[in-house]
Amino acid sequence: IQYPSLVNMDDPAKAAAIDELIKKNALSVLDAYQIQDSRDALDISCQVLSADRSRITLLYQGTLTPDGSAHPQNLFYSNTIDVSNASDIGFSHYADPYTMAGYVLSDDCTFYQADEELKPELMKEKGKTSLDDYTKMFNGADFPFTGDFPRSFSYEHQGVIYFSIPMPHALGDYAIVMFAPDAK
């Protein structure tokens, strides 16, 4: 699992706290999926989407091939950190979970970087989850989490909100929904 470390930060104690938070969140997938180093194959890369004095946004993507599995599972999670507080920023910071649940179920829902041939299947599949279930999912999205590993992760980039929703393995295991508030 790749994850970054801060450099050239004025406050070494805060940098250490943020580094520890990044590491903890990046590696949390190991416990969430009960990964055994000796049996399972995990390959996660990290993209630093943005980093400035107020916020760091990290995207994690990769695959998990459990021992004995014929096909790898695609994984996606993200982590946005408030630099001044050395704390996680979650879904409700960007959007209202209930409103976004309604957006996902609407015909206006836009999938980010989805294959054109796959979009009709994704549109069909997203409708199999209820408004209440999406709302609960988004309320429990992102870091920090208690209990089960979140089924949805979100981030904001250049005013656009992105968040994942689970999909069947045949459709890629997850899809990224894109919501541009200015366009709505």
Side-chain angles (χ1 to χ4, degrees):
I1 299 174
Q2 294 178 343
Y3 57 89
S5 180
L6 295 182
V7 293
N8 299 330
M9 191 166 176
D10 295 337
D11 183 344
K14 188 176 283 186
I18 292 170
D19 278 347
E20 187 57 35
L21 182 62
I22 289 170
K23 179 180 179 180
K24 180 184 91 153
N25 290 342
L27 298 180
S28 66
V29 72
L30 296 172
D31 288 334
Y33 287 90
Q34 301 176 350
I35 295 168
Q36 301 293 319
D37 286 347
S38 60
R39 300 181 328 201
D40 304 323
L42 178 69
D43 182 22
I44 302 287
S45 61
C46 178
Q47 175 190 359
V48 178
L49 185 65
S50 63
D52 58 34
R53 294 192 180 278
S54 62
R55 187 182 293 176
I56 300 167
T57 302
L58 308 169
L59 306 180
Y60 298 92
Q61 290 180 287
T63 58
L64 166 62
T65 307
D67 185 42
S69 178
H71 302 285
Q73 177 182 357
N74 295 304
L75 299 178
F76 170 85
Y77 54 107
S78 62
N79 189 200
T80 302
I81 296 171
D82 179 329
V83 172
S84 63
N85 297 319
S87 62
D88 295 306
I89 297 174
F91 195 100
S92 61
H93 181 82
Y94 310 115
D96 173 63
Y98 177 80
T99 302
M100 291 299 97
Y103 171 70
V104 168
L105 291 171
S106 76
D107 291 339
D108 292 334
C109 179
T110 302
F111 290 103
Y112 179 64
Q113 293 184 333
D115 184 280
E116 286 301 319
E117 295 167 6
L118 200 56
K119 283 182 183 178
E121 293 301 316
L122 295 173
M123 293 296 277
K124 249 193 285 184
E125 188 64 35
K126 72 177 176 74
K128 294 179 181 178
T129 302
S130 72
L131 179 69
D132 285 344
D133 286 343
Y134 275 126
T135 302
K136 286 178 193 168
M137 184 187 312
F138 300 152
N139 276 320
D142 296 311
F143 297 107
F145 66 91
T146 54
D148 294 334
F149 195 70
R151 294 176 48 221
S152 177
F153 284 90
S154 68
Y155 63 96
E156 181 270 333
H157 186 63
Q158 297 179 338
V160 178
I161 300 164
Y162 301 86
F163 52 98
S164 64
I165 59 172
M167 286 287 165
H169 182 68
L171 297 178
D173 298 311
Y174 68 88
I176 306 293
V177 174
M178 182 175 127
F179 178 78
D182 294 342
K184 304 297 172 207

